[in-house]
Amino acid sequence: QVQLVESGGGLVQAGGSLRLSCTASARTFSRYTMGWFRQAPGKEREFVAAIFRSSGNAYYSDAVKGRFTVSRDNAKSTVYLQMNNLKPEDTAVYYCAGDSGIILSSLRLPSQYDDWGQGTQVTVSS
């Protein structure tokens, strides 16, 4: 099992930016597809973005496409989520997740990820 530790959340005004980081304990980090999910109070956990293990291709939800960028540094076993032009509806707890066996068609499904971080709060004020 891989331990994931997120950082970088906080309070920001609408239109501002934050960068989340997620560092993994895995020595084979490059083999993991990494995803970012978020959960607002009273809502289900939803897919935000993912970066596939082999290709490094990035995928986004429609809600964040064009505003968020996911990237990875395999040498540091870290995945990032750069969030620009934040909106109040982006307020949520953000989680990173990883899995070494996930397939492309399933990377938007929380149930397909084995390893999860503890979450970091992002609050966007209007």
Side-chain angles (χ1 to χ4, degrees):
Q1 189 172 1
V2 175
Q3 289 188 327
L4 302 174
V5 179
E6 299 113 333
S7 61
L11 173 64
V12 65
Q13 289 187 334
S17 299
L18 285 174
R19 189 176 80 156
L20 305 183
S21 300
C22 172
T23 300
S25 62
R27 288 182 291 179
T28 56
F29 178 75
S30 62
R31 299 180 185 176
Y32 282 75
T33 292
M34 300 301 297
W36 286 97
F37 294 80
R38 66 187 183 186
Q39 189 166 18
K43 295 188 176 181
E44 293 186 352
R45 192 167 298 189
E46 65 172 358
F47 171 77
V48 174
I51 186 163
F52 202 63
R53 63 181 180 276
S54 57
S55 65
N57 289 342
Y59 302 85
Y60 301 94
S61 70
D62 289 342
V64 306
K65 193 175 297 182
R67 300 188 296 122
F68 291 12
T69 302
V70 60
S71 61
R72 66 191 300 159
D73 184 338
N74 288 335
K76 296 182 178 180
S77 297
T78 299
V79 62
Y80 304 97
L81 185 67
Q82 177 66 45
M83 305 185 294
N84 298 329
N85 190 22
L86 283 160
K87 303 176 181 180
E89 52 263 42
D90 294 319
T91 295
V93 177
Y94 283 71
Y95 299 90
C96 72
D99 196 281
S100 60
I102 201 165
I103 60 176
L104 186 58
S105 60
S106 299
L107 59 78
R108 298 171 185 264
L109 302 175
S111 61
Q112 299 300 304
Y113 290 80
D114 283 341
D115 302 305
W116 289 84
Q118 80 286 358
T120 186
Q121 177 71 45
V122 171
T123 303
V124 184
S125 63
S126 57

